[in-house]
Amino acid sequence: MICVGIDVAKDKHDCFIMSSEGIVLADVFTVSNDRSGFETLLKKIRSCSKPKDKIKVGLEATGHYSCNIQRFLLDNGLATYVINPLQTNLYRKSLSLRKTKTDRVDARTIAALLLSDVDLKSYTETAYHNEELKSLTRYRFEKVRERAKLKVAVTRLLNILFPELERLVSTVHSTAVYAMLEEMPGSLQIAECNLTHLKTILHKASAGRFGREKALEIREAARQSIGAAMPVKSMELQHTVRLIREFNAEIKEAEEQIDKIMEEISSPITSIPGIGNRMGAMILAEIGDYSNFGSPDKILAYSGMSPSTYQSGQFTSGHSHMEKRGSHYLRYALFNAAKAVCLFNSQFKVYLEKKLSEGKHYYVAISHVVKKLVRLIYALEKTQQKYQVA
């Protein structure tokens, strides 16, 4: 067996090649992060191996920097292993008491880790093609989070410019309110607006729900408002509303792409009541290839939702905290999916109530629901059967 350790960086990659007998076939050498460097690496690997040799290539999960070389290695038929940096860091420390970390040392450590008995799973084509869905769901997640911050900003600005508006509408984040604020960002502008014009804006944006009565009510409140007349704050409110509208359009486009991919995948996960395309796509994208997980407990560990263990001598901790390592996107998706499933699935609802009756905190009870949900998702994905209520 030939083991190749690659320490990935932005402009170059440090590589190290050794045999299963521990013989160094190629000491640490550097290749550039371009086509020429990739070809040099491939020639070096082939020159150090024989046709019957099994080649294992390992590299750390370093985000987007490893995407191109990872694709190149897979295209050339090399078994590629993507390793958690935390794992290589702990393994490096176990090899030496010296506090030494360099790119050259990391390349050697990765190669040595491939030779160890650690249960590593090679990167598969399934996992690679799943990257598109992962990028899409993470992109949507970040956009939704940024939009939420902008909505908080809108609420803050309205408390300064027109605090009475919040009591006149069900939500200040409706399409009708945004249409009004984009043109009239403050109580002063609304108070001076022509009633017919204000009614037209609200009626059109609300699809007929708001009429002349609502327009009159808002204008009268604006005339009696204690809101400050601050042109700079009004400009900030206008810009924020426009940004939210842009985010809405981008999120909608991302969701359309997610729906398209989920239709092609036709996963049984969406047959579980409470899990739709958005949350189901995020769970599938973060888990990736289910063949990499021997049991549902390993998925829990990957999401960081498994309890930590502390035992020393006669003492065993009875209050273990959640590990919170691994994919925080998967942890978020599973936690929120569990809450939704409890609302739409009677079996999960009963299970949650049982845990709450035992005196567990709500979030602790939800973590137990997550475990049950992960076992169900794992079984459905393995058998490719849709969920059926017992």
Side-chain angles (χ1 to χ4, degrees), residues 53-106:
D53 286 339
K54 182 180 179 181
I55 302 172
K56 296 170 69 175
V57 183
L59 46 88
E60 285 185 333
T62 52
H64 60 281
Y65 290 131
S66 60
C67 287
N68 295 329
I69 190 168
Q70 189 175 305
R71 179 71 262 171
F72 177 81
L73 294 169
L74 289 172
D75 287 342
N76 284 278
L78 297 176
T80 307
Y81 297 76
V82 181
I83 305 170
N84 190 320
L86 179 63
Q87 195 171 6
T88 56
N89 183 41
L90 294 174
Y91 188 76
R92 184 184 67 251
K93 289 179 179 179
S94 70
L95 297 177
S96 174
L97 295 177
R98 296 184 63 187
K99 191 175 181 179
T100 306
K101 186 198 180 302
T102 64
D103 293 343
R104 297 173 65 86
V105 170
D106 284 347

Coordinates of all heavy atoms in Angstrom, one line a residue, residues 53-106:
D53 N -0.2 -1.9 -6.7 CA -0.2 -1.2 -5.4 C -1.6 -0.5 -5.2 O -2.1 0.0 -6.1 CB 0.9 -0.2 -5.3 CG 2.3 -0.9 -5.1 OD1 2.3 -2.0 -4.7 OD2 3.3 -0.2 -5.4
K54 N -2.0 -0.6 -3.9 CA -3.2 0.2 -3.5 C -2.8 1.5 -3.0 O -1.9 1.6 -2.2 CB -4.0 -0.6 -2.5 CG -5.3 0.1 -2.0 CD -6.0 -0.7 -0.9 CE -7.3 0.0 -0.5 NZ -8.0 -0.7 0.6
I55 N -3.3 2.6 -3.6 CA -2.9 3.9 -3.3 C -4.0 4.6 -2.5 O -5.2 4.6 -2.9 CB -2.6 4.7 -4.6 CG1 -1.5 4.1 -5.4 CG2 -2.2 6.2 -4.2 CD1 -1.3 4.7 -6.7
K56 N -3.6 5.2 -1.3 CA -4.5 6.0 -0.5 C -4.0 7.4 -0.4 O -2.9 7.6 0.0 CB -4.7 5.3 0.9 CG -5.3 3.9 0.8 CD -5.2 3.3 2.2 CE -6.1 3.9 3.3 NZ -6.0 3.1 4.5
V57 N -4.8 8.3 -0.7 CA -4.5 9.8 -0.7 C -5.3 10.4 0.4 O -6.5 10.3 0.4 CB -4.6 10.5 -2.0 CG1 -4.1 11.9 -1.9 CG2 -3.9 9.7 -3.1
G58 N -4.7 11.1 1.3 CA -5.4 11.8 2.4 C -5.1 13.3 2.4 O -4.0 13.7 2.1
L59 N -6.1 14.0 2.7 CA -6.0 15.5 2.8 C -7.0 16.0 3.8 O -8.0 15.4 4.1 CB -6.2 16.2 1.5 CG -7.3 15.8 0.6 CD1 -8.6 16.6 0.9 CD2 -7.0 16.0 -0.9
E60 N -6.7 17.1 4.4 CA -7.6 17.7 5.5 C -8.8 18.4 4.8 O -8.7 18.9 3.7 CB -6.9 18.7 6.4 CG -5.9 18.0 7.3 CD -5.3 19.0 8.3 OE1 -5.2 20.2 7.9 OE2 -5.0 18.6 9.4
A61 N -9.9 18.4 5.6 CA -11.1 19.2 5.1 C -10.8 20.7 5.3 O -11.0 21.1 6.5 CB -12.3 18.7 5.9
T62 N -10.4 21.3 4.3 CA -10.0 22.7 4.4 C -10.9 23.6 3.6 O -10.5 24.6 3.1 CB -8.6 23.0 4.0 OG1 -8.4 22.4 2.7 CG2 -7.6 22.3 4.9
G63 N -12.2 23.3 3.5 CA -13.2 24.1 2.8 C -12.9 24.1 1.3 O -12.6 23.1 0.7
H64 N -13.1 25.3 0.7 CA -13.0 25.4 -0.7 C -11.6 25.2 -1.3 O -11.5 24.9 -2.5 CB -13.6 26.7 -1.2 CG -12.8 27.9 -0.7 ND1 -13.0 28.4 0.6 CD2 -11.9 28.7 -1.2 CE1 -12.2 29.4 0.8 NE2 -11.5 29.6 -0.3
Y65 N -10.6 25.3 -0.5 CA -9.2 25.2 -1.0 C -8.9 23.8 -1.5 O -8.1 23.6 -2.4 CB -8.2 25.5 0.1 CG -8.2 27.0 0.4 CD1 -8.2 27.4 1.8 CD2 -8.1 28.0 -0.6 CE1 -8.2 28.8 2.1 CE2 -8.1 29.3 -0.2 CZ -8.1 29.7 1.1 OH -8.1 31.1 1.4
S66 N -9.6 22.8 -1.0 CA -9.3 21.4 -1.3 C -10.2 20.9 -2.5 O -10.0 19.7 -2.9 CB -9.5 20.5 -0.1 OG -10.8 20.5 0.4
C67 N -11.2 21.6 -2.9 CA -12.1 21.2 -3.9 C -11.5 20.7 -5.2 O -11.8 19.7 -5.7 CB -13.2 22.2 -4.2 SG -14.4 22.5 -2.8
N68 N -10.6 21.6 -5.7 CA -10.0 21.3 -7.1 C -9.1 20.1 -7.1 O -9.2 19.2 -7.9 CB -9.3 22.6 -7.6 CG -10.2 23.7 -7.8 OD1 -11.4 23.5 -8.2 ND2 -9.7 24.9 -7.6
I69 N -8.2 20.0 -6.1 CA -7.3 18.9 -6.0 C -8.1 17.6 -5.7 O -7.7 16.5 -6.2 CB -6.1 19.1 -5.0 CG1 -5.1 18.0 -5.2 CG2 -6.6 19.2 -3.6 CD1 -3.8 18.3 -4.5
Q70 N -9.1 17.7 -4.9 CA -9.9 16.5 -4.6 C -10.6 16.0 -5.9 O -10.6 14.8 -6.1 CB -11.0 17.0 -3.6 CG -11.8 15.9 -3.0 CD -12.7 16.4 -1.9 OE1 -12.2 17.1 -0.9 NE2 -14.0 16.2 -2.0
R71 N -11.1 16.9 -6.7 CA -11.8 16.5 -7.9 C -10.8 15.8 -8.9 O -11.0 14.8 -9.5 CB -12.4 17.7 -8.6 CG -13.1 17.5 -9.9 CD -14.4 16.7 -9.7 NE -14.2 15.2 -10.0 CZ -15.1 14.3 -9.7 NH1 -16.2 14.6 -9.2 NH2 -14.9 13.1 -10.0
F72 N -9.5 16.4 -8.9 CA -8.5 15.9 -9.8 C -8.1 14.5 -9.4 O -8.0 13.6 -10.2 CB -7.3 16.8 -9.7 CG -6.1 16.3 -10.5 CD1 -6.0 16.6 -11.9 CD2 -5.0 15.7 -9.9 CE1 -5.0 16.1 -12.7 CE2 -4.0 15.2 -10.7 CZ -3.9 15.5 -12.0
L73 N -8.0 14.2 -8.1 CA -7.6 12.9 -7.6 C -8.7 11.9 -7.9 O -8.4 10.7 -8.3 CB -7.3 13.0 -6.1 CG -6.1 13.8 -5.7 CD1 -6.1 14.0 -4.2 CD2 -4.8 13.1 -6.1
L74 N -9.9 12.2 -7.7 CA -11.0 11.3 -8.0 C -11.1 11.0 -9.5 O -11.4 9.9 -9.9 CB -12.3 11.9 -7.5 CG -12.5 12.0 -6.0 CD1 -13.8 12.8 -5.6 CD2 -12.6 10.6 -5.4
D75 N -10.9 12.0 -10.3 CA -11.0 11.8 -11.8 C -9.9 10.9 -12.2 O -10.1 10.2 -13.3 CB -10.9 13.1 -12.5 CG -12.1 14.0 -12.4 OD1 -13.2 13.4 -12.0 OD2 -12.1 15.2 -12.6
N76 N -8.8 10.8 -11.5 CA -7.7 9.9 -11.9 C -7.8 8.6 -11.1 O -6.8 7.8 -11.1 CB -6.4 10.6 -11.7 CG -6.1 11.6 -12.7 OD1 -5.6 11.3 -13.8 ND2 -6.4 12.9 -12.4
G77 N -8.9 8.3 -10.5 CA -9.1 6.9 -9.9 C -8.4 6.7 -8.6 O -8.1 5.5 -8.3
L78 N -8.0 7.7 -7.9 CA -7.2 7.5 -6.6 C -8.2 7.6 -5.5 O -9.0 8.5 -5.4 CB -6.2 8.6 -6.5 CG -5.1 8.6 -7.6 CD1 -4.1 9.8 -7.4 CD2 -4.3 7.3 -7.6
A79 N -8.1 6.6 -4.6 CA -8.9 6.6 -3.4 C -8.5 7.8 -2.5 O -7.4 7.9 -2.0 CB -8.8 5.3 -2.6
T80 N -9.5 8.7 -2.3 CA -9.2 9.9 -1.5 C -9.9 9.9 -0.2 O -11.1 9.6 -0.1 CB -9.6 11.1 -2.4 OG1 -9.0 11.1 -3.7 CG2 -9.2 12.4 -1.7
Y81 N -9.2 10.3 0.8 CA -9.8 10.4 2.2 C -9.7 11.8 2.7 O -8.6 12.4 2.8 CB -9.0 9.4 3.1 CG -9.1 8.0 2.7 CD1 -8.3 7.5 1.7 CD2 -9.9 7.1 3.4 CE1 -8.4 6.1 1.3 CE2 -10.0 5.8 3.1 CZ -9.2 5.3 2.0 OH -9.3 4.0 1.7
V82 N -10.9 12.3 3.0 CA -10.9 13.7 3.6 C -11.0 13.6 5.1 O -11.9 13.0 5.6 CB -12.2 14.5 3.0 CG1 -12.2 15.9 3.6 CG2 -12.1 14.5 1.5
I83 N -10.0 14.1 5.8 CA -9.9 13.9 7.2 C -10.2 15.2 8.0 O -9.8 16.3 7.6 CB -8.4 13.5 7.5 CG1 -8.1 12.2 6.7 CG2 -8.2 13.2 9.0 CD1 -6.6 11.9 6.7
N84 N -10.8 15.1 9.1 CA -11.2 16.2 10.0 C -9.9 16.8 10.6 O -9.0 16.0 11.1 CB -12.1 15.7 11.1 CG -12.6 16.8 11.9 OD1 -12.0 17.8 12.2 ND2 -13.9 16.7 12.3
P85 N -9.6 18.1 10.4 CA -8.4 18.7 11.0 C -8.2 18.4 12.5 O -7.0 18.3 12.9 CB -8.6 20.2 10.7 CG -9.5 20.2 9.5 CD -10.4 19.1 9.7
L86 N -9.3 18.3 13.2 CA -9.2 18.0 14.6 C -8.5 16.6 14.9 O -7.7 16.4 15.8 CB -10.6 18.1 15.3 CG -10.7 17.7 16.8 CD1 -9.9 18.8 17.6 CD2 -12.1 17.7 17.2
Q87 N -8.9 15.7 14.0 CA -8.3 14.3 14.1 C -6.8 14.3 13.8 O -6.1 13.7 14.5 CB -9.1 13.4 13.1 CG -8.9 12.0 13.4 CD -9.8 11.1 12.5 OE1 -10.5 11.6 11.7 NE2 -9.8 9.8 12.8
T88 N -6.4 15.0 12.8 CA -5.0 15.1 12.5 C -4.2 15.9 13.5 O -3.1 15.5 13.9 CB -4.7 15.8 11.1 OG1 -5.3 17.1 11.1 CG2 -5.4 14.9 10.0
N89 N -4.8 16.9 14.1 CA -4.2 17.7 15.2 C -3.9 16.8 16.4 O -2.8 16.8 17.0 CB -5.1 18.8 15.5 CG -4.4 19.8 16.6 OD1 -3.2 20.0 16.5 ND2 -5.2 20.2 17.5
L90 N -4.9 16.0 16.8 CA -4.8 15.1 18.0 C -3.8 14.0 17.7 O -3.0 13.6 18.6 CB -6.1 14.5 18.4 CG -7.2 15.5 18.9 CD1 -8.5 14.8 19.1 CD2 -6.7 16.2 20.2
Y91 N -3.8 13.5 16.5 CA -2.9 12.4 16.1 C -1.4 13.0 16.1 O -0.5 12.3 16.5 CB -3.2 11.9 14.7 CG -2.5 10.6 14.3 CD1 -2.8 9.4 14.9 CD2 -1.4 10.7 13.4 CE1 -2.1 8.3 14.5 CE2 -0.7 9.6 13.0 CZ -1.0 8.4 13.6 OH -0.3 7.2 13.3
R92 N -1.2 14.2 15.6 CA 0.1 14.8 15.5 C 0.7 15.0 17.0 O 1.8 14.7 17.2 CB 0.1 16.1 14.8 CG 1.5 16.8 14.7 CD 1.4 18.2 14.0 NE 0.7 19.1 14.9 CZ -0.5 19.6 14.7 NH1 -1.2 19.2 13.6 NH2 -1.0 20.5 15.5
K93 N -0.2 15.4 17.9 CA 0.2 15.6 19.3 C 0.6 14.3 19.9 O 1.4 14.2 20.8 CB -0.9 16.3 20.0 CG -1.1 17.8 19.7 CD -2.2 18.4 20.4 CE -2.4 19.9 20.1 NZ -3.5 20.5 20.8
S94 N -0.1 13.2 19.5 CA 0.2 11.9 20.1 C 1.5 11.3 19.7 O 2.1 10.4 20.3 CB -0.9 10.9 19.7 OG -0.9 10.6 18.4
L95 N 2.0 11.8 18.6 CA 3.3 11.3 18.0 C 4.5 12.0 18.7 O 5.6 11.4 18.7 CB 3.4 11.5 16.5 CG 2.3 10.8 15.7 CD1 2.4 11.2 14.2 CD2 2.4 9.3 15.9
S96 N 4.3 13.2 19.2 CA 5.5 13.9 19.8 C 5.0 14.8 20.9 O 3.9 15.4 20.8 CB 6.2 14.7 18.7 OG 7.2 15.5 19.2
L97 N 5.9 15.0 21.9 CA 5.6 15.9 23.0 C 5.9 17.4 22.6 O 5.5 18.3 23.2 CB 6.3 15.6 24.2 CG 5.9 14.2 24.9 CD1 6.8 13.9 26.1 CD2 4.4 14.2 25.3
R98 N 6.7 17.5 21.5 CA 7.1 18.8 21.1 C 5.9 19.6 20.4 O 5.1 19.0 19.7 CB 8.3 18.7 20.1 CG 9.5 18.1 20.7 CD 10.7 18.2 19.7 NE 11.0 19.5 19.3 CZ 11.9 19.8 18.4 NH1 12.5 18.8 17.7 NH2 12.2 21.1 18.1
K99 N 5.9 20.8 20.6 CA 4.8 21.7 20.0 C 5.3 22.1 18.7 O 5.8 23.2 18.5 CB 4.5 22.8 20.9 CG 3.2 23.6 20.5 CD 2.9 24.7 21.5 CE 1.6 25.4 21.1 NZ 1.3 26.5 22.1
T100 N 5.1 21.3 17.7 CA 5.6 21.5 16.3 C 4.4 21.4 15.3 O 3.8 20.3 15.3 CB 6.7 20.6 15.9 OG1 7.8 20.7 16.9 CG2 7.3 21.0 14.6
K101 N 4.2 22.4 14.6 CA 3.1 22.3 13.6 C 3.6 23.2 12.4 O 3.7 24.4 12.4 CB 1.8 22.9 14.0 CG 0.7 22.6 13.0 CD -0.5 23.5 13.2 CE -1.6 23.2 12.2 NZ -1.1 23.5 10.8
T102 N 3.9 22.5 11.3 CA 4.2 23.1 10.0 C 3.5 22.4 8.9 O 3.0 21.3 9.1 CB 5.7 23.1 9.8 OG1 6.2 21.7 9.6 CG2 6.5 23.8 10.9
D103 N 3.5 22.9 7.7 CA 2.9 22.2 6.6 C 3.6 20.9 6.3 O 2.9 19.9 5.9 CB 2.9 23.1 5.4 CG 2.0 24.4 5.5 OD1 1.2 24.3 6.4 OD2 2.2 25.3 4.8
R104 N 4.9 20.9 6.4 CA 5.6 19.7 6.2 C 5.3 18.6 7.2 O 5.1 17.4 6.8 CB 7.1 20.0 6.2 CG 7.6 21.0 5.1 CD 9.0 21.3 5.3 NE 9.9 20.2 5.1 CZ 10.4 19.8 3.9 NH1 10.0 20.5 2.8 NH2 11.2 18.8 3.8
V105 N 5.2 19.0 8.4 CA 4.8 18.0 9.5 C 3.4 17.5 9.3 O 3.1 16.3 9.5 CB 5.0 18.7 10.9 CG1 4.4 17.8 12.0 CG2 6.4 19.0 11.2
D106 N 2.5 18.4 8.9 CA 1.1 18.0 8.7 C 1.0 17.0 7.5 O 0.2 16.0 7.6 CB 0.3 19.2 8.3 CG -0.1 20.0 9.6 OD1 0.2 19.5 10.7 OD2 -0.5 21.2 9.4

